Structure formats: C-alpha cells, structure tokens
Amino acid sequence: MVWRLTDDPTLFPDPHYGDEDGLIAIGGDLSPERLANAYCNGIFPWYGFKERDDILWWCPLDRFVIFPKEIHISHSMRQLINKDTFHTTLNTCFDRVIEECATVNLRDKKIGAWLGEDMKNAYKEMHRLGLAASVEVWDGKGNLAGGLYGINIGNNFFGESMFSLVPNASKIALIFLAETMQPDGGIIDCQFETAHLKSMGGRHISYEEYMKFMETHDEG
C-alpha cells in the first residue's frame, strides 16, 4: 500500500506496509525538515523527473549497506592509491559534485533521470545546513576527476550518487569516505545493490538492524 503524504513533514507511513519493491509513499515536498525525517527512518526520495511531478518515497526492508571497516580495497586499487596520482578532499565543492553526478555520461538526458533541478536544489540546501556532504577526487593537475555526495546524519552516511571522469575515481572517493568514517562506526547506506558496490564490501542487512544505527543517532 502506498500512502499519500500530508503537509506534515514529520509523518511517514510504516515501511512494513509499503510495496514489495520498497515504495511506501507519494507526494509531499523536498523541504529540509521532511528530508531529515525521512532519512532518519531509512526513507529516501527517488523519481524520474521527466516522467512525473509527484515525488516517490522508498524504504526497502532489505537494506544494502557498507560497514566502513569492511570496505574492500583490491590490490590494484591499493597500488593506485599508493601512487598518489590523486588526492581527495571533503566538502570543497559540493554543488559541482552534484552537478557532475547529474550530467556525467548524459545521465540527465536519459529515461528515468532523477537528479532534476528540484532534487539538486534540495540537496544543496541540505549541504548548507550541514546535513549533506561531498567527497572530491582530484588529479595531479588539479582537475576534478570524480566524487560522490549524500546525506550525513550522526555517524551514518546515506549515499546518493557518485561519478567518475577518469577510471576508478568514484571508487577512490568511496574508500576515502569509508576510511574517514571508521573511527566513529556507523554505516554507509547504498540504497540498492550494484555489482560495483558489492565488490567493495556491500552486504544486505534487515531493516530492523539498519534502524539500530538510526536509533543510536537519536539517542546521541
């Protein structure tokens, strides 16, 4: 059953009553308050802005995550990192990263493209409020080579998108993120499984286990 959201940004349905694919609600807006409440409950917006105007909200009960200490770094990736060909930064150009995520390989021109102006502006505002972060990867000439962005609440990071302008740049960004998070624990929420993320240590956990990390944030 898919619930239509009200004007109250704090109200979301119980994800256990959503569709099998994880769709739980439709409508609402992308205000910072609604987004913060959504992510604290494992809920995120995702919809093709070319195909529809209503926002779709998702909360899969089978969660695909990376535990920072379990990040898998292949031998070839370790060699690449040790060459110091790239250097990595945090939150130096969030707006540019999200724009690259939206347009790299003509993503914004394809059916199902979801990073439209409304979504980009919403996450840029979350960043200004300290609730979203970016990782940037630079080549030896100072050019942006890749990166990622997502929501950061407490010790947890909710990955939204990544991009590479050169091979392996997004992997370097993810490794940097995981290593940065390791002292504080938490999880990296990948939202959906991909072969790329699975090869880097992603695995499935239940929604109940997932929410224990959200509850730890609430108690903190």
Side-chain angles (χ1 to χ4, degrees), residues 14-88:
D14 184 334
H16 293 88
Y17 297 108
D19 284 357
E20 186 176 349
D21 60 2
L23 180 63
I24 65 166
I26 184 172
D29 56 32
L30 296 170
S31 67
E33 185 177 7
R34 192 184 297 272
L35 284 171
N37 279 303
Y39 280 96
C40 284
N41 288 283
I43 301 166
F44 56 90
W46 182 45
Y47 65 104
F49 68 88
K50 293 178 179 291
E51 292 78 48
R52 61 183 308 124
D53 295 322
D54 283 333
I55 302 165
L56 301 180
W57 299 87
W58 303 78
C59 186
L61 297 181
D62 183 22
R63 308 303 298 218
F64 191 70
V65 305
I66 292 176
F67 289 87
K69 291 183 179 180
E70 296 179 3
I71 189 75
H72 175 69
I73 306 173
S74 67
H75 178 68
S76 59
M77 278 301 301
R78 180 63 70 188
Q79 285 184 316
L80 178 60
I81 292 171
N82 289 340
K83 287 181 179 178
D84 291 327
T85 304
F86 301 97
H87 73 278
T88 314

Side-chain angles (χ1 to χ4, degrees), residues 93-131:
C93 57
F94 182 92
D95 288 8
R96 187 175 170 192
V97 168
I98 197 172
E99 293 292 343
E100 290 287 357
C101 285
T103 60
V104 67
N105 299 323
L106 300 177
R107 285 178 181 172
D108 57 326
K109 307 299 182 185
K110 298 176 181 178
I111 299 297
W114 58 274
L115 259 180
E117 292 303 315
D118 288 347
M119 289 282 272
K120 289 188 292 185
N121 290 335
Y123 287 104
K124 289 176 183 179
E125 180 61 20
M126 292 291 278
H127 175 65
R128 284 188 278 272
L129 294 172
L131 296 173

Side-chain angles (χ1 to χ4, degrees), residues 192-203:
F192 297 108
E193 178 182 340
T194 67
H196 166 72
L197 293 171
K198 188 173 183 179
S199 72
M200 297 190 70
R203 62 182 173 93

